[in-house]
Amino acid sequence: MGFMTEFREFAVKGNVVDLAVGVIIGGAFGKIVDSLVKDVIMPLVGLVFGKLDFSNLYLVLGQIPPGVNNNLADLQKAGVPVLAYGNFITIAVNFIILAFVIFVMVKQINRLRRNNEAAPAPAAPPEDVMLLREIRDSLKRP
């Protein structure tokens, strides 16, 4: 079997195609969750905690050069070492929501699979049991 033939068989297997579809849908779903966290959840959390904007929480680790504004974007552009922990909080919340949604989806898929699986047919009784039943039935006859 040639290398190209073997590669073609590998590439068109159902598992590889399913994985590719999953990665594409996962990327799109990740963008939806990013927007949900950034545009819906974090503003609500900020409202509860006093209009706190997590994306602009940072700690300056070096000297701020003269003429550079004390905000995250300008500090990073000037090359000042900055610990941007607000961005980390946003990404951590994003991960927790995404993990929870995936957990719920997998749980539902597993539940549907269990419901769709037919109950296994009862195993045929052993031969000696069948013979004993035949003897019993023959003894009942007059």
Side-chain angles (χ1 to χ4, degrees), residues 16-28:
V16 174
V17 175
D18 291 345
L19 178 63
V21 170
V23 167
I24 292 168
I25 290 175

Side-chain angles (χ1 to χ4, degrees), residues 20-21 26 34 38 40 42 44-45 50 52 71 73-74 85 90-92 94 96 98 101 111-112 125 127-128 132 135:
V21 170
D34 285 341
K38 179 181 172 191
V40 177
M42 292 314 265
L44 293 174
V45 170
L52 190 62
N71 63 46
D74 289 341
Y85 63 91
T90 303
I91 290 172
N94 186 348
I96 291 169
L98 184 61
V101 169
R111 185 181 62 82
L112 290 174
E127 189 176 338
D128 56 343
L132 289 171
I135 293 170

Side-chain angles (χ1 to χ4, degrees), residues 69-88:
N69 293 329
N70 191 3
N71 63 46
L72 183 60
D74 289 341
L75 290 170
Q76 287 177 333
K77 189 191 297 184
V80 177
V82 177
L83 180 67
Y85 63 91
N87 191 33
F88 175 77

Side-chain angles (χ1 to χ4, degrees), residues 118-135:
E127 189 176 338
D128 56 343
V129 172
M130 293 298 292
L131 289 173
L132 289 171
R133 286 181 184 169
E134 287 178 24
I135 293 170

Side-chain angles (χ1 to χ4, degrees), residues 46-119:
L47 180 66
V48 170
F49 290 107
K51 298 193 185 260
L52 190 62
D53 183 10
F54 286 105
S55 63
N56 286 320
L57 292 178
Y58 60 91
L59 180 64
V60 180
L61 300 176
Q63 293 292 337
I64 300 175
V68 175
N69 293 329
N70 191 3
N71 63 46
L72 183 60
D74 289 341
L75 290 170
Q76 287 177 333
K77 189 191 297 184
V80 177
V82 177
L83 180 67
Y85 63 91
N87 191 33
F88 175 77
I89 293 172
T90 303
I91 290 172
V93 169
N94 186 348
F95 171 77
I96 291 169
I97 292 170
L98 184 61
F100 178 75
V101 169
I102 291 172
F103 167 75
V104 170
M105 286 173 47
V106 169
K107 186 173 180 171
Q108 291 302 317
I109 289 170
N110 288 339
R111 185 181 62 82
L112 290 174
R113 283 185 181 166
R114 277 189 302 245
N115 290 344
N116 288 340
E117 289 177 356

